[in-house]
Amino acid sequence: TDLHNVYGLPHFFLSLPLPSAPGGQGAAPRLPLDAWYRGMGWATLRNGWDKDATMLAIRSGFTWNDNHADAGSFILFDRGQPLLIDSGNSSYAAPEYDAYYRQSVAHNVVTFNGGAEPKEDTYLGSQLPGKIPLMMDGAGIKYVLADATGPTSANFSRNFRHVLWIDDVILIGRLLDEMKRRD
């Protein structure tokens, strides 16, 4: 088996063959359940490696080129099924790819007056990248702080997404202050 079969999102994860016993169906890898990719602004949390596991991934990194305007977005799978995911995808050549799928409105991010990250950041790059400055896992509690303030600073003076996972309960919250627009 591989991560594509487990979670069905080959574009989000690398395909990783799992070890198997001779003649067996495969075994869960002895890998950490959580990963913190500080340089990319990604974190993944899971409760196991089996097909029925729960997995949450959150992103708050740099926006440019193939990286969409989705700082603070997340996906959630439970029992191998998608619960909260991106809006989908399209061909790079399709007009809706740039007009919709790469923009903040296509992702589960907080918007203010219809805006989050500036549309031009997907071409020019965000001057202030998002980040995941804090992640912890201990004593049955998992926590991630995703700071999307940088890429969304045109609309928010603070934009934090919090993930708290205790036993079988996952809480996803936000703290933000929208900017007062001058007309």
Side-chain angles (χ1 to χ4, degrees):
T1 188
D2 61 27
L3 290 178
H4 178 307
N5 293 335
V6 175
Y7 295 112
L9 282 180
H11 68 280
F12 202 87
F13 294 98
L14 298 174
S15 181
L16 174 70
L18 301 181
S20 65
Q25 294 295 315
R30 295 181 190 263
L31 297 172
L33 296 177
D34 306 320
W36 184 7
Y37 305 99
R38 292 181 197 181
M40 293 184 348
W42 287 15
T44 60
L45 309 170
R46 62 179 73 240
N47 66 358
W49 283 95
D50 59 312
K51 288 186 177 189
D52 292 334
T54 299
M55 188 275 302
L56 182 134
I58 188 162
R59 181 196 177 294
S60 191
F62 190 71
T63 300
W64 180 63
N65 201 4
D66 282 341
N67 288 328
H68 295 192
D70 60 352
S73 67
F74 61 93
I75 58 172
L76 177 65
F77 286 75
D78 185 50
R79 297 183 186 112
Q81 299 299 314
L83 295 181
L84 300 168
I85 59 171
D86 268 350
S87 58
N89 57 38
S90 71
S91 150
Y92 287 144
E96 57 270 10
Y97 176 70
D98 281 329
Y100 178 72
Y101 288 108
R102 289 180 53 184
Q103 305 307 322
S104 296
V105 295
H107 303 281
N108 58 11
V109 299
V110 177
T111 62
F112 178 67
N113 289 336
E117 294 185 56
K119 289 183 178 189
E120 62 272 10
D121 280 2
T122 57
Y123 295 101
L124 303 175
S126 53
Q127 291 182 334
L128 304 169
K131 56 189 166 223
I132 298 188
L134 181 62
M135 180 174 162
M136 65 170 250
D137 181 2
I141 299 172
K142 299 174 188 261
Y143 173 78
V144 175
L145 168 62
D147 181 353
T149 302
T152 63
S153 60
N155 289 295
F156 302 102
S157 57
R158 287 190 297 176
N159 187 349
F160 302 137
R161 173 94 38 162
H162 302 273
V163 175
L164 180 63
W165 186 340
I166 303 173
D167 297 324
D168 291 335
V169 177
I170 299 173
L171 302 170
I172 302 170
R174 63 168 170 72
L175 169 67
L176 56 94
D177 294 328
E178 61 270 359
M179 306 270 297
K180 302 288 186 204
R181 292 192 180 209
R182 295 182 183 161
D183 294 326

